[in-house]
Amino acid sequence: VNKHKPWIETSYHGIITENNDTVILDPPLVALDKDAPVPFAGEICAFKIHGQETPFEAVVLNKTSGEGRLRAKSPIDCELQKEYTFIIQAYDCGSGPAGTNWKKSHKAVVHIQVKDVNEFSPAFKESVYKATVTEGKIYDSILQVEATDEDCSPQYSQICNYEIVTADVPFAIDRNGNIRNTEKLSYDKQHQYEIKVTAFDCGQKRAIEDVLVRVNVKPVCKPGWQDWNKRIEYRPGSGSIPLFPSIHLETCDGPVSSIHTTIELQTNYIGKGCDRETYSEKSLQKLCGASSGAIDLLPSPSTTTNWTAGLLVDSNDIIFKFDGKQGAKIPDGIVPKNLTDQFTITLWMKHGPSPGLRAEKETILCNSDKTEMNRHHYALYVHNCRLVFLLRKDFDQADTFRPAEFHWKLDQICDKEWHYYVVNVEFPVVTLYMDGTTYEPYLVTNDWPIHPSHIAMQLTVGACWQGGEVTKPRFAQYFHGSLASLTIRPGKIESQKVISCLQACKEGLDINSLESLGQGIKYHFNPSQSVLVMEGDDIENINQALRKVSYINSRQFPTAGVRRLKVSSKVQCFGEDVCISIPDIDAYVMVFQANEPKITITGMDHFARPAAQFESERGVILLPDIRIVSTVTKMEHPVDLRERDRANKQVVVEEMLHNLDFCDVLVIGAELDPEQECLELDHGELQGKHLDATNSTAGYSIYGVDSMFSYEQVLRQLRYRHWGPAATSDRKFRVKCSELNGRYTSNEFNLEVNILHSSNSNFMDHVNHMIVQPQFLQSVQHPEGSVGAVHNSVVPSVATIVIIICVSTLVLVITLGVYRLRTARQRGPAEHEGARDTEMDWDDSALTITVNPMEKYEKPHQTEEESEEEDIDDEEEDTTSAESDDSEEEEEEEEEEEVIVQKGDKQNATRQEQL
């Protein structure tokens, strides 16, 4: 009889390792029954678990002893569930084999804990960590990295350690992932650090992937301009280019109330203070519309202006250096003695402080007595950094106490920089213009006029001539410095507009789109546009305004080299005693060399004319078809990298337009004899152009800044006249042109002219008419066909003999042909046909032979031949009307039986049959 229920413990605690099915229970699973050892009633048949979806089951190991085992039905995952709690009961086997009347024990609570296995590695939350630090500081923590572990237990899910994998970096990391720097970082040394960090869980399992940490180092905030380039490149013809297109001001959050910025373009070492046109002073004055009559006292050394040959030349032939040891005497007759009450002196000068405590006078220009006395009639000199102009009148001009010395005190006189000075004399008023600005003298002293004398005067530059009071006349009061473009213009003074044009710079600062500057920006340029001052209250407006500042050079061939830039700024702050300081910007503009032009002069280089044409009132035009062309050679850079290594790069020649500043037509050989020959040009041809001309026995010079086309027009009107005896039979000329005062010169174009006098003019005119002239006209009508030189040989003296021989040979051939023709005509028709095939072996398509119509022909053919004969005779009479009818030529024409050689079309079949 099954009297008792099974007995089990009231609670059990178990542990199961994940991914395992065995549960270790404490106490062990054992059920007892007091009915034992009665079969069935005292045996344990089952353990039942109560709970929904419990992944465990209990099995009986021994019915008699009641031992059981708890196991998992499927693998247990700690990460899904860490512990389980359920109810278990034990059942006996009942009262018989059928298990009837079984009894169950009380309910026991089972609590099972899942034991974790370290199966997961740590993983970082971010793929990349970033931080920014300021240089020069030690941080406790720059940033914190964090890793996690998916294991369920604290032992394996917690991160116990972090490590920096990258070696030799100035950083450290603690157990919590805080990264700090171990030394002060420098922005100049390294802008950015990249380090690798790993993590370990408490089971010492390492992260599968290390994490990247970027630490950016920024400099200590320094107020100043940022994002600008030190080098700005400028190519000729680029127009206006921005200097600082991306610039902005960093104020480090300072309380800025206003900004004052000065941009300075430093060009004092380029030419005469900046890039100006390097034309001669005469050409520049003509270009600026100055009054004519200016006399250049410091011209380029040449055969006609040789007084500057002994002076020191600085960099080019228009700047002269005076070192206190030399002066130049101006020859008599260059400057008139009487300058009148109105005249102008202009010059470029660079001068520094004079050495010594008591500096002597340094003479720029001086007109003094040549001998016996030491009187200065007028002079311009520097004394103790003062510019002084001396003007002493003669007694015949004035007999009272009059102004004589005019003093100006200017800092620029001794600043070692180039400045342009103009002294306008309108006696008794003298005005100084320096760089286009007017200055009145601070001191004017009076003096008596000079007593009249018959002593000659000596005009000098760079020193003053001391003709008296010394044993031997010599130079004194030497100048120390540089001078250029020293001119004097008697009788007229210059306007301020012309003065401004003469000293104008061709390069400077510019502002793109002034209308978009903003209302809060004030700006100001100096007269030469080398200094720009900008002022504003808003930082962003100043940034935008400075981005629009540009450099411009309007010269077609600018002076290559460096132009320094300096930007200085001052900042005012709101009620702050100490305000931020903005460092200056030092940059430079690199101006590249322009492609050098090749100037080519072409045209007819040889011709002959009868002497009568040279003797006429208009003479003969020398250069009727002259052409001046300028080309520039460029190298094409291949795009294909494979072609870049080839030695023969493609060369491109392009025609370009630019101005010229002079063209000289020089006589080769003996100079012109003014008694019997000259070169002439109507001055009306120069009107409306910036051109002037000078004429001498050495040739004709046209100068002034104007286009190549204008020079062509003028040169094509230049005439040569010769009215002397027949001794001169030819003349040779040479044409040469220049741009920028000889910086670029053309080829030397040579021209030979033959004068055909009466002894050979008649015969030559006849030959020219019959043979040469039609071909010559055809060949020179279009000289513009090519850029290269076009050479047309037109009846030179040697060629005359050759042509006479050719004509004689031709006449002989024709005479022989006529003779054979007559012989063949007397034979039969068959013989006539054979003779025609064998004897007429020239090309009759180009030659027509006309015989005397008085021969015996048929009536219709006679009429046709007579009409042709009359036409040709008329033409011959026209061409020989200017010739003398001497008897030898008439006899020669009769002997030739009026035979004429002429180009023509192929004659008709009837004419050929008769021939």
Side-chain angles (χ1 to χ4, degrees):
V1 178
N2 192 6
K3 295 181 179 181
H4 301 92
K5 296 187 294 184
W7 176 90
I8 57 175
E9 299 286 348
T10 57
S11 64
Y12 294 90
H13 290 276
I15 295 174
I16 183 172
T17 302
E18 66 174 335
N19 301 325
N20 202 343
D21 61 349
T22 303
V23 180
I24 301 172
L25 286 177
D26 182 28
L29 183 59
V30 176
L32 300 176
D33 195 323
K34 291 183 179 181
D35 292 326
V38 177
F40 301 108
E43 295 175 348
I44 303 300
C45 274
F47 292 97
K48 288 189 179 180
I49 294 173
H50 302 284
Q52 294 181 348
E53 299 180 359
T54 302
F56 296 97
E57 63 180 359
V59 294
V60 178
L61 296 179
N62 191 325
K63 293 182 179 181
T64 304
S65 62
E67 286 181 66
R69 177 187 293 172
L70 190 64
R71 63 186 182 190
K73 293 190 287 186
S74 59
I76 302 299
D77 191 352
C78 178
E79 285 72 40
L80 294 178
Q81 194 167 339
K82 294 181 180 181
E83 37 183 57
Y84 295 88
T85 302
F86 52 87
I87 304 297
I88 191 172
Q89 285 180 307
Y91 290 81
D92 59 17
C93 294
S95 56
T100 55
N101 298 323
W102 48 266
K103 293 187 182 294
K104 59 183 178 180
S105 67
H106 60 273
K107 293 179 178 178
V109 177
V110 180
H111 183 77
I112 296 178
Q113 219 168 7
V114 181
K115 185 180 180 181
D116 189 19
V117 174
N118 195 3
E119 58 182 336
F120 291 99
S121 300
F124 289 93
K125 288 187 174 181
E126 304 288 340
S127 59
V128 177
Y129 288 88
K130 296 178 183 179
T132 302
V133 296
T134 304
E135 64 174 347
K137 292 176 66 177
I138 296 291
Y139 289 83
D140 293 332
S141 176
I142 296 173
L143 79 160
Q144 184 182 25
V145 297
E146 187 178 357
T148 58
D149 196 315
E150 294 184 2
D151 287 315
C152 62
S153 63
Q155 180 184 3
Y156 299 137
S157 63
Q158 289 183 357
I159 307 300
C160 285
N161 194 21
Y162 290 94
E163 256 183 44
I164 294 176
V165 179
T166 308
D168 300 327
V169 289
F171 298 97
I173 191 168
D174 62 13
R175 296 169 62 88
N176 296 320
N178 294 304
I179 298 176
R180 59 184 176 84
N181 56 319
T182 57
E183 62 183 50
K184 292 181 179 179
L185 305 179
S186 171
Y187 176 80
D188 295 332
K189 183 179 178 181
Q190 194 164 339
H191 294 356
Q192 186 186 75
Y193 291 88
E194 290 189 350
I195 56 178
K196 293 275 190 169
V197 175
T198 190
F200 296 89
D201 61 17
C202 294
Q204 291 304 303
K205 191 160 191 173
R206 180 176 171 170
I208 297 176
E209 290 187 4
D210 301 331
V211 73
L212 177 65
V213 179
R214 285 198 183 99
V215 179
N216 294 311
V217 182
K218 70 175 183 178
V220 175
C221 186
K222 298 174 184 177
W225 297 102
Q226 296 184 358
D227 294 338
W228 54 274
N229 293 323
K230 188 176 184 66
R231 174 187 171 105
I232 302 104
E233 295 183 350
Y234 185 87
R235 300 189 180 279
S238 301
S240 178
I241 61 165
L243 295 172
F244 310 110
S246 305
I247 197 170
H248 70 276
L249 180 64
E250 176 62 64
T251 60
C252 297
D253 300 325
V256 176
S257 61
S258 67
I259 306 169
H260 183 276
T261 301
T262 302
I263 305 102
E264 182 181 0
L265 180 68
Q266 298 174 345
T267 58
N268 51 356
Y269 45 88
I270 301 293
K272 298 191 290 288
C274 70
D275 206 0
R276 294 181 169 91
E277 294 293 4
T278 55
Y279 296 115
S280 65
E281 190 65 19
K282 276 187 175 182
S283 297
L284 279 176
Q285 290 182 353
K286 187 74 176 175
L287 187 64
C288 289
S291 305
S292 59
I295 302 165
D296 193 355
L297 300 182
L298 283 177
S300 301
S302 66
T303 54
T304 56
T305 58
N306 56 0
W307 64 86
T308 57
L311 301 178
L312 297 176
V313 179
D314 183 14
S315 72
N316 54 51
D317 57 357
I318 57 173
I319 296 177
F320 297 90
K321 289 186 71 174
F322 294 86
D323 58 359
K325 297 179 181 178
Q326 77 272 27
K329 289 183 180 180
I330 309 298
D332 296 338
I334 299 295
V335 179
K337 293 181 180 180
N338 183 17
L339 295 178
T340 74
D341 286 342
Q342 287 189 346
F343 61 92
T344 301
I345 300 173
T346 67
L347 73 149
W348 284 96
M349 182 175 73
K350 182 167 73 171
H351 182 264
S354 303
L357 296 174
R358 291 192 60 189
E360 291 189 357
K361 295 178 181 178
E362 298 180 58
T363 301
I364 300 169
L365 180 68
C366 180
N367 190 30
S368 58
D369 290 332
K370 186 176 289 188
T371 57
E372 299 181 27
M373 302 182 72
N374 189 29
R375 298 176 303 173
H376 295 185
H377 297 264
Y378 62 87
L380 183 66
Y381 60 90
V382 176
H383 189 211
N384 288 327
C385 292
R386 290 164 173 80
L387 187 66
V388 183
F389 177 65
L390 169 70
L391 179 61
R392 300 285 301 278
K393 289 287 185 178
D394 291 339
F395 251 112
D396 56 355
Q397 295 174 324
D399 57 356
T400 58
F401 217 46
R402 303 297 295 269
E405 282 191 358
F406 304 84
H407 299 250
W408 292 272
K409 185 178 181 181
L410 301 171
D411 295 335
Q412 290 89 340
I413 293 172
C414 288
D415 65 355
K416 296 183 180 180
E417 303 289 348
W418 280 105
H419 298 285
Y420 188 59
Y421 299 86
V422 178
V423 179
N424 264 356
V425 179
E426 217 171 359
F427 196 80
V429 177
V430 178
T431 306
L432 173 69
Y433 292 88
M434 201 242 351
D435 293 339
T437 306
T438 309
Y439 294 92
E440 298 296 332
Y442 81 95
L443 175 65
V444 179
T445 58
N446 296 339
D447 203 347
W448 290 103
I450 292 178
H451 291 282
S453 69
H454 299 289
I455 302 173
M457 291 179 287
Q458 178 64 61
L459 182 62
T460 57
V461 175
C464 198
W465 185 254
Q466 189 172 357
E469 302 176 4
V470 290
T471 56
K472 183 180 179 182
R474 59 181 174 82
F475 279 118
Q477 301 175 1
Y478 289 99
F479 180 74
H480 296 79
S482 298
L483 297 174
S485 304
L486 175 60
T487 68
I488 188 165
R489 178 181 285 103
K492 291 183 181 178
I493 62 172
E494 281 305 350
S495 65
Q496 189 160 3
K497 180 180 178 181
V498 172
I499 293 170
S500 299
C501 173
L502 288 172
Q503 61 95 35
C505 286
K506 292 296 182 179
E507 64 179 342
L509 300 173
D510 193 18
I511 297 179
N512 293 331
S513 61
L514 283 171
E515 64 277 358
S516 62
L517 265 187
Q519 296 181 353
I521 300 296
K522 298 177 183 177
Y523 68 93
H524 172 71
F525 282 103
N526 70 333
S528 63
Q529 288 197 208
S530 61
V531 178
L532 170 61
V533 179
M534 306 180 81
E535 190 173 354
D537 301 333
D538 184 70
I539 294 176
E540 187 54 37
N541 284 346
I542 283 286
N543 291 340
Q544 293 289 343
L546 202 56
R547 290 168 192 161
K548 297 180 185 298
V549 177
S550 58
Y551 169 80
I552 187 170
N553 193 320
S554 59
R555 292 191 65 193
Q556 191 172 10
F557 305 105
T559 303
V562 170
R563 316 293 199 268
R564 294 191 184 96
L565 277 170
K566 185 176 182 180
V567 181
S568 55
S569 305
K570 293 181 180 178
V571 176
Q572 291 184 348
C573 298
F574 291 101
E576 294 286 336
D577 295 335
V578 180
C579 198
I580 59 176
S581 176
I582 307 296
D584 293 345
I585 287 179
D586 288 314
Y588 64 93
V589 178
M590 174 56 73
V591 179
F592 288 103
Q593 182 77 41
N595 290 321
E596 293 196 3
K598 180 182 179 182
I599 306 170
T600 306
I601 302 175
T602 59
M604 181 175 63
D605 62 354
H606 202 161
F607 69 85
R609 293 288 185 274
Q613 294 187 22
F614 290 97
E615 295 170 2
S616 65
E617 184 181 350
R618 298 291 294 173
V620 174
I621 292 178
L622 274 185
L623 305 161
D625 61 344
I626 190 170
R627 279 211 69 200
I628 306 172
V629 177
S630 182
T631 56
V632 62
T633 303
K634 296 181 179 179
M635 299 292 291
E636 272 199 354
H637 299 286
V639 179
D640 192 354
L641 293 176
R642 292 172 297 180
E643 297 181 4
R644 193 167 295 178
D645 298 330
R646 295 183 183 175
N648 50 347
K649 293 183 179 179
Q650 190 173 359
V651 178
V652 179
V653 178
E654 295 179 357
E655 186 173 339
M656 68 181 303
L657 298 176
H658 58 77
N659 292 328
L660 299 175
D661 59 350
F662 71 80
C663 281
D664 290 338
V665 181
L666 302 175
V667 179
I668 302 176
E671 292 190 356
L672 297 176
D673 184 358
E675 298 296 328
Q676 60 181 9
E677 57 183 337
C678 68
L679 290 172
E680 290 182 347
L681 179 70
D682 293 336
H683 279 272
E685 300 294 336
L686 303 176
Q687 291 182 358
K689 303 179 179 68
H690 297 116
L691 297 179
D692 211 338
T694 57
N695 192 2
S696 69
T697 57
Y700 214 96
S701 180
I702 303 165
Y703 61 90
V705 182
D706 214 323
S707 65
M708 292 183 287
F709 178 71
S710 296
Y711 270 91
E712 283 180 0
Q713 286 182 311
V714 174
L715 287 171
R716 288 173 182 174
Q717 302 303 318
L718 185 64
R719 305 185 308 278
Y720 173 61
R721 290 182 59 207
H722 186 280
W723 60 90
T728 304
S729 61
D730 60 359
R731 265 295 185 188
K732 294 180 180 180
F733 300 91
R734 176 174 295 155
V735 185
K736 190 173 184 179
C737 296
S738 155
E739 163 67 336
L740 297 176
N741 202 24
R743 179 177 171 186
Y744 305 114
T745 56
S746 71
N747 62 315
E748 293 183 348
F749 176 74
N750 295 318
L751 170 67
E752 183 176 349
V753 178
N754 292 114
I755 303 172
L756 305 178
H757 294 282
S758 57
S759 59
N760 57 1
S761 63
N762 293 337
F763 182 73
M764 286 308 302
D765 283 351
H766 181 67
V767 171
N768 282 347
H769 165 66
M770 293 179 61
I771 304 296
V772 180
Q773 195 168 3
Q775 297 167 353
F776 164 70
L777 290 174
Q778 187 177 4
S779 62
V780 301
Q781 282 301 317
H782 305 284
E784 298 86 5
S786 63
V787 177
V790 181
H791 301 290
N792 295 316
S793 181
V794 186
V795 201
S797 55
V798 178
T800 305
I801 302 171
V802 177
I803 292 176
I804 292 172
I805 295 172
C806 293
V807 171
S808 302
T809 305
L810 186 61
V811 170
L812 180 63
V813 171
I814 294 171
T815 306
L816 182 62
V818 172
Y819 173 75
R820 291 186 175 181
L821 181 65
R822 289 176 177 175
T823 305
R825 183 171 157 274
Q826 293 172 1
R827 298 176 184 176
E831 287 181 311
H832 168 75
E833 191 68 21
R836 185 173 66 102
D837 293 338
T838 57
E839 299 294 335
M840 298 290 286
D841 55 354
W842 59 77
D843 185 2
D844 59 345
S845 63
L847 292 175
T848 300
I849 299 174
T850 306
V851 296
N852 196 329
M854 298 301 293
E855 294 289 339
K856 188 178 180 180
Y857 289 113
E858 294 178 11
K859 193 90 174 179
H861 301 299
Q862 180 181 351
T863 306
E864 182 180 350
E865 296 296 356
E866 283 178 357
S867 63
E868 273 195 25
E869 180 75 25
E870 288 171 3
D871 292 341
I872 295 172
D873 284 342
D874 292 343
E875 183 180 349
E876 184 173 346
E877 285 173 9
D878 291 341
T879 58
T880 57
S881 59
E883 302 174 3
S884 60
D885 299 324
D886 53 75
S887 59
E888 291 180 11
E889 189 171 354
E890 290 176 356
E891 289 174 4
E892 184 180 349
E893 289 177 359
E894 290 176 4
E895 288 175 3
E896 291 179 0
E897 297 292 336
E898 302 293 327
V899 178
I900 307 299
V901 181
Q902 175 186 353
K903 284 190 176 182
D905 296 325
K906 203 168 190 179
Q907 300 300 312
N908 54 47
T910 307
R911 177 86 46 84
Q912 290 182 359
E913 288 236 351
Q914 291 175 351
L915 290 175

